[in-house]
Each structure stands twice: as C-alpha cells, then as structure tokens.
Amino acid sequence: MEGLAAHVRACRKCGLSAHRRNPVVGEGSLDATVMFIGEAPGFWEDVKGRPFVGAAGKLLDRLISSAGLSRSKVYIGNILKCRPPENRDPRPDEVEACAHYLDRQIEIIRPKIIVTLGRHSTNYILFKAGLSVEGISKLHGRVYEANVLGLPVVIMPTYHPAAALYNVKFQGELERDFDVLRSEVEKLSLKKEA
Ligand code: URA
Ligand code: SF4
C-alpha cells in the first residue's frame, strides 16, 4: 500500500492533478473486513489529504459506529484520488485513468464486504462484478454476493452520505442500510466462530 500511495502522490495521469492540493489515497486497516468506497475528495479532503473528513465524513463516522464498526478497523477509499473542481461529478476519462488504484487497493485489502457510497462507486463496482446496474434509489440496502477481481465479496450499495446533508429523507434510508450492514457483519463473525 505504501508503494501505491507513492504512485498516487506523484500521479499526473489526468487533468485533476493540476488543481489538487493533496491527493487522497484512502485510509484505515489493511486487514479491514469492510471497505467503504466514495466518489472523490471534496474541499476538506483535498486540504487534509484524508478521506471523508468534512461534514459528510462526520455523518459517515456516525453510521460506521451504528453498524458496530470503528473507523480504524475499516478501510475508506474513493474512486478518484484528486478533487474535481467545484466537486463536480467524476468524468468517465478520469475514472478510467484512476480506478486501477482502487482495484489494487481492493486486491491488497481483500475485504469481505464492500459498501459503495453513491451512484458513481456503485456503478463502478457492480459493473466490475458483472451485475446489472439500476438506479441507486432501487438498489440501496440490497446485498449482493458477488465476485470482484477474483475475490468473493458481499456488495452493499447505499446513498452517498453527502446526499443526506441536502435531503433528510436520505438520512433515514442510510441508517436503515447501515442496519443491514450491521447484520451482514454479524453474520460474518458468526461464520468465523463456527
Ligand atoms: N466525498 C467522497 O466521496 N469522498 C470523500 O473522501 C469525501 C467526500
Ligand atoms: Fe492520477 Fe487519479 Fe489524481 Fe487523476 S485523479 S491525477 S488519475 S491520482
């Protein structure tokens, strides 16, 4: 992971490198059972070089605790490592240039559960798993047993926490989805004990 981080810090493979203050590689446990995948750094992430440290990050921290997990035990990454100007959506050419770093992170961490936050990471991971991609409002909170990069993994798409900052309706949905996550985590630990 350190080697990969060095590559990301030096990366100039897409235009976003021109505007970034700090790339955000991702952080957390390399032994994580659960990996969260967001979209791209925002303002504060770009300033600090760490994922989910702004307002959406505070909400994500609360949700992570509600699922019986802690930030130090999970891994948090993004599809794009550099902030798009004005937090605009990732462009397909940027995803294409950057996502192999995320793939490599998945291969290093080998998570048992991948939680995709928002439609961009959901589309990317479901496509990778060969699953059909519907709207996030339909498939959030569902659990898919799938194969990503040759690894058996449970995928759970949910809303991006930033969505809940704009519309409280999404907060309740996110909380329910994280209850589903909690039971998936419990199932895994029961399996381990058995
Ligand atoms: N939103 C994201 O998708 N990722 C971050 O790291 C922060 C905000
Ligand atoms: Fe490189 Fe990704 Fe940053 Fe583009 S967004 S410069 S591909 S690290």
Side-chain angles (χ1 to χ4, degrees):
M1 191 64 89
E2 267 316 301
L4 182 135
H7 280 290
V8 170
R9 283 192 283 269
C11 183
R12 296 264 182 272
K13 286 206 310 182
C14 84
L16 297 178
S17 63
H19 309 283
R20 71 172 177 228
R21 270 180 272 198
N22 295 291
V24 177
V25 179
E27 68 181 23
S29 168
L30 299 187
D31 294 321
T33 303
V34 185
M35 181 168 182
F36 293 88
I37 304 177
E39 183 176 316
F43 179 86
W44 284 109
E45 290 76 22
D46 178 61
V47 169
K48 305 214 165 165
R50 296 180 52 208
F52 283 97
V53 289
K58 291 223 169 64
L59 174 57
L60 180 62
D61 287 348
R62 266 201 282 130
L63 290 162
I64 286 174
S65 317
S66 80
L69 298 164
S70 69
R71 194 167 162 128
S72 62
K73 291 219 171 113
V74 302
Y75 193 89
I76 306 179
N78 284 306
I79 303 204
L80 297 186
K81 309 308 189 204
C82 303
R83 182 190 179 210
E86 317 298 325
N87 299 345
R88 65 158 168 73
D89 284 353
R91 290 195 324 227
D93 58 312
E94 293 158 354
V95 174
E96 193 174 327
C98 201
H100 67 99
Y101 293 125
L102 175 66
D103 292 351
R104 194 66 201 101
Q105 288 172 304
I106 294 171
E107 287 169 341
I108 292 168
I109 292 159
R110 307 173 71 83
K112 298 274 186 289
I113 303 177
I114 293 179
V115 180
T116 54
L117 303 167
R119 80 190 145 91
H120 294 283
S121 65
T122 298
N123 290 354
Y124 181 74
I125 293 294
L126 290 188
F127 182 75
K128 224 152 184 108
L131 296 167
S132 68
V133 177
E134 299 167 74
I136 184 92
S137 58
K138 274 210 184 136
L139 46 79
H140 76 94
R142 287 194 203 160
V143 164
Y144 297 87
E145 290 194 16
N147 193 296
V148 173
L149 297 162
L151 305 168
V153 71
V154 167
I155 304 170
M156 192 194 81
T158 189
Y159 289 108
H160 194 288
L165 303 176
Y166 299 110
N167 185 339
V168 284
K169 175 181 129 210
F170 294 121
Q171 185 152 341
E173 309 260 356
L174 267 162
E175 285 166 2
R176 276 191 288 280
D177 291 355
F178 274 71
D179 286 341
V180 173
L181 174 61
R182 181 185 196 111
S183 64
E184 287 303 313
V185 171
E186 283 167 0
K187 265 195 236 163
L188 274 182
S189 51
L190 286 177
K191 251 196 229 163
K192 247 193 239 156
E193 282 163 27

